[in-house]
Amino acid sequence: MAMAAFALVAAPGMSHAAADLDKALANPENWAAQAGDEYNQRYSKLTQITDKNVNKLQVAWTFSTGVLRGHEGSPLVIDGTMYLHSPFPNKVFAVDLDTQKILWKYEPKQDPAVIPQMCCDTVNRGLAFGDGKILLQQADSNLIALDAKSGKLVWSVKNGDPKLGAVNTNAPHVFKDKVITGISGGEWGVRGFLAAYNLKDGTPAWKGYSVGPDAEMLIDPAKTTTWADGKVTPVGKDSSLKTWKGDQWKIGGGTTWGWFSFDRALNQVFYGTGNPSTWNPSQRPGDNKWTMSIWSRDVDSGKVKWVYQMTPFDEWDFDGINEMILADIPVKGKPTKALVHFDRNGFGYTLDRTNGALLVAEKYDPVVNWATHVDMKSGRPQVVSKYSTAQNGPDVNTKGVCPAALGSKDQQPAAFNPKTGLFYIPTNHVCMDYEPFAVDYTAGQPYVGATLSMFPAPNSHGGMGNFTVWDAGAGKIVWSKPEKFSVWSGALTTAGDVLFYGTLEGYLKAVSLKDGKELWKFKTPSGIIGNVFSYQHKGKQYVGVFSGIGGWAGIGMAAGLEKDTDGLGAVGGYRELNQYTELGGSLTVFALGN
């Protein structure tokens, strides 16, 4: 069946939301989705833990997953049961919150040959819930639905071919009656896509590619719009094909392993696409559309409403998959249905999510140097020639590019607090040297074509991270708190006026929303790259986080790599980490002491 034809399966208006998910999301005592909501705000309405008493937090209970690789994402909490996941082999546990008893456990039998096909550790970003099912996107690309009560397999569908490098690290998301998932493998020349499966039985609903012919992207040249010449305008015919040399788009990247958000009123799912393949820009001249882009798709049909490319002709691996946070905020004084995105390229973007109009694009780390600014009329970053790896050419080491390829922020999700109207961003404060080289494509083999070295941003505080607070309506930093290492943990803000985040050394920190003043911290058993979450059970509020060093920043420790340029440059940059933490996968849950 032609992939574009998947769009015909689901007619608009025919789909119905999962009622149990709606009910679970409406109750702030649950944590029923990876961000706690469909807007990716990562905000808890619970008020028992406050900035006045957070210093009394104590460990309530802990849980070991039995897996030593990087633990990203967070558990789900639904009506007294917690659902936990692990990195490969992607175990799933259901735990009774009264007793911490394991109600059921699912451990898929996956081929270990998947492990070397995963570029930046064997992470998994979490589970989804809906229609009485727990959804798991396995590393081997199988999308699995488990009965939430028993753990029994309900359905399974294959989403990609791991032998070609098409593996999965993303969390699936349930929006209405669809399970939305993406694909990893941009470093293997995988052609990215977003796919929707019917929640009831796993049958394909639609699939929209990131690059290629209009029909396969589900783009209508006359109706799908983009930002150009200072206005929203139709993309026109062959908007992607025209920006690639020959058939390079067929191995063109644009993978979709990040987080997705959903606006029910607009019926649109929002997400980002990753880097073009290869990392050697000389082999793929052109803008390489629509890699490195923000997308708005109809959740029922997959049709693209609008698309905006942040980094045309990406020369630095500034992967664009970071989450889209939806918030209704004033932008330059005007009430706006906004989409806010903190891109790997170091710019914080604010767009009108109803039509994709570009409203704000400013640096959220002052050391960003590869571009001077984003031209607001064209939407294009203005590249500084000395940092252009394409201009300097293959086998030339372009030095001192800020940020590094892992970006001013990677997958670690930011948070929005509706009380303050501000955004809270875990960031990397890291720069790099980048040397591209010619590379041939071989199916199932890495297709990178660049050697990288990473180091802390020079002439700064000496550390590799900041926690930054951002005014997205004005495009300005409100305050920033330095950290020794990148902040690779997802943030949480609460109605109790507390901001939580984890550090690579393993500290869970609580700081003041007002100024970042540290209110409390606790050293967990391993470095934190998981996302902080909160729930309430039997009248008591809890805060929890996975610890388990790994991910791109911790790949040296997780995979036992030694050379500075290993791990796409991260091993040398984060070499000191092993003096502060050790491997281990566990959940630590905190509550106020009696």
Side-chain angles (χ1 to χ4, degrees):
M1 184 194 295
M3 293 306 178
F6 280 3
L8 304 177
V9 176
M14 294 293 287
S15 56
H16 304 283
D20 55 354
L21 175 58
D22 292 351
K23 187 179 173 190
L25 286 171
N27 181 358
E29 295 189 0
N30 292 319
W31 192 262
Q34 280 300 315
D37 61 25
E38 295 174 331
Y39 270 30
N40 271 335
Q41 292 187 353
R42 303 196 52 77
Y43 170 74
S44 171
K45 295 176 181 174
L46 301 177
T47 56
Q48 194 177 97
I49 298 168
T50 71
D51 55 348
K52 306 293 190 296
N53 63 21
V54 69
N55 62 341
K56 294 183 171 62
L57 279 185
Q58 297 176 359
V59 175
W61 59 282
T62 62
F63 184 90
S64 170
T65 65
V67 183
L68 291 181
R69 300 294 286 255
H71 282 58
E72 292 183 349
S74 73
L76 302 179
V77 177
I78 298 142
D79 301 335
T81 302
M82 181 180 287
Y83 300 93
L84 298 89
H85 67 283
S86 84
F88 187 94
N90 306 139
K91 298 180 186 179
V92 182
F93 304 89
V95 174
D96 184 310
L97 289 180
D98 286 333
T99 60
Q100 286 84 58
K101 178 184 175 184
I102 299 171
L103 299 171
W104 56 259
K105 173 183 167 183
Y106 174 79
E107 185 167 354
K109 300 288 180 266
Q110 297 186 70
D111 186 342
V114 171
I115 295 172
Q117 300 291 76
M118 304 180 80
C119 88
C120 314
D121 200 10
T122 60
V123 296
N124 180 282
R125 298 193 172 89
L127 307 166
F129 168 75
D131 191 35
K133 302 176 182 77
I134 295 294
L135 288 307
L136 165 69
Q137 179 61 80
Q138 293 178 184
D140 64 6
S141 93
N142 285 312
L143 177 64
I144 301 293
L146 304 170
D147 181 86
K149 292 276 188 261
S150 67
K152 287 191 168 62
L153 183 67
V154 180
W155 55 255
S156 172
V157 62
K158 196 166 177 59
N159 187 55
D161 186 352
K163 289 189 173 65
L164 302 179
V167 294
N168 270 103
T169 55
N170 67 280
H173 291 61
V174 173
F175 300 140
K176 293 176 75 174
D177 65 342
K178 303 288 188 293
V179 187
I180 310 286
T181 192
I183 198 74
S184 299
E187 282 60 62
W188 270 251
V190 170
R191 181 181 169 216
F193 59 80
L194 198 72
Y197 297 91
N198 290 305
L199 177 58
K200 182 175 172 49
D201 56 13
T203 52
W206 53 260
K207 184 175 189 176
Y209 281 95
S210 307
V211 299
D214 293 336
E216 294 183 13
M217 293 187 295
L218 308 183
I219 276 179
D220 181 328
K223 292 181 181 174
T224 302
T225 59
T226 191
W227 182 256
D229 198 27
K231 61 183 184 293
V232 172
T233 185
V235 294
K237 190 172 185 291
D238 296 334
S239 59
S240 175
L241 293 177
K242 286 175 178 172
T243 65
W244 291 90
K245 180 182 178 183
D247 283 347
Q248 182 72 24
W249 61 270
K250 291 181 177 177
I251 49 171
T255 51
T256 48
W257 47 272
W259 312 94
F260 319 133
S261 51
F262 178 48
D263 185 322
R264 291 188 181 215
L266 298 173
N267 207 46
Q268 297 288 303
V269 54
F270 301 92
Y271 68 102
T273 48
N275 56 287
S277 305
T278 129
W279 288 21
N280 175 13
S282 301
Q283 290 180 238
R284 46 169 176 80
D287 279 358
N288 307 144
K289 288 176 177 169
W290 293 98
T291 65
M292 312 300 296
S293 299
I294 300 172
W295 296 68
S296 173
R297 284 187 188 269
D298 182 89
V299 82
D300 296 327
S301 67
K303 289 178 180 175
V304 182
K305 184 172 184 181
W306 60 260
V307 58
Y308 165 72
Q309 189 175 44
M310 296 155 292
T311 314
F313 186 46
D314 172 33
E315 308 170 41
W316 312 267
D317 182 47
F318 290 153
D319 216 316
I321 63 88
N322 295 354
E323 76 287 350
M324 310 299 155
I325 304 176
L326 311 184
D328 298 342
I329 56 170
V331 178
K332 297 175 180 170
K334 182 185 172 189
T336 305
K337 288 188 177 299
L339 175 152
V340 177
H341 170 75
F342 301 101
D343 198 63
R344 288 254 288 266
N345 71 14
F347 286 88
Y349 293 85
T350 307
L351 285 80
D352 182 329
R353 68 178 183 268
T354 68
N355 61 9
L358 179 64
L359 305 175
V360 175
E362 298 290 347
K363 296 175 184 180
Y364 62 96
D365 186 341
V367 304
V368 171
N369 64 11
W370 68 277
T372 53
H373 66 287
V374 172
D375 176 74
M376 294 302 287
K377 192 172 181 189
S378 66
R380 298 177 72 96
Q382 303 302 289
V383 177
V384 176
S385 59
K386 73 183 275 193
Y387 299 120
S388 168
T389 69
Q391 177 183 292
N392 296 339
D395 307 315
V396 174
N397 195 10
T398 298
K399 295 192 170 183
V401 181
C402 302
L406 40 70
S408 296
K409 187 179 91 61
D410 201 295
Q411 65 81 34
Q412 61 269 42
F416 170 71
N417 188 306
K419 288 172 71 174
T420 64
L422 299 174
F423 294 77
Y424 299 82
I425 325 166
T427 74
N428 312 311
H429 196 52
V430 184
C431 303
M432 69 175 171
D433 299 339
Y434 188 110
E435 185 174 341
F437 57 85
V439 60
D440 291 326
Y441 173 76
T442 304
Q445 297 297 314
Y447 184 53
V448 179
T451 303
L452 276 63
S453 300
M454 298 187 192
F455 41 87
N459 307 314
S460 186
H461 57 72
M464 299 176 78
N466 291 304
F467 198 95
T468 299
V469 180
W470 183 255
D471 180 338
K476 288 188 166 41
I477 294 171
V478 178
W479 57 258
S480 189
K481 178 180 170 62
E483 287 287 352
K484 180 172 180 59
F485 294 107
S486 294
V487 188
W488 210 268
S489 151
L492 174 76
T493 71
T494 76
D497 299 329
V498 188
L499 165 64
F500 292 97
Y501 64 91
T503 73
L504 284 176
E505 306 101 300
Y507 285 105
L508 177 62
K509 294 189 174 184
V511 304
S512 165
L513 283 176
K514 295 188 195 79
D515 54 14
K517 180 186 173 190
E518 201 168 282
L519 305 173
W520 170 87
K521 70 177 179 181
F522 181 91
K523 185 79 150 54
T524 65
S526 184
I528 298 175
I529 63 171
N531 303 334
V532 192
F533 68 106
S534 188
Y535 67 94
Q536 193 156 302
H537 182 64
K538 294 198 167 168
K540 202 169 187 69
Q541 184 183 355
Y542 297 85
V543 172
V545 72
F546 276 131
S547 58
I549 195 66
W552 193 357
I555 189 64
M557 293 185 68
L561 305 177
E562 289 292 334
K563 276 176 56 188
D564 280 359
T565 55
D566 281 350
L568 304 171
V571 172
Y574 294 87
R575 186 167 292 284
E576 203 183 342
L577 249 186
N578 63 13
Q579 297 171 30
Y580 290 85
T581 192
E582 191 45 273
L583 297 178
S586 59
L587 172 75
T588 310
V589 178
F590 303 86
L592 295 173
N594 294 324

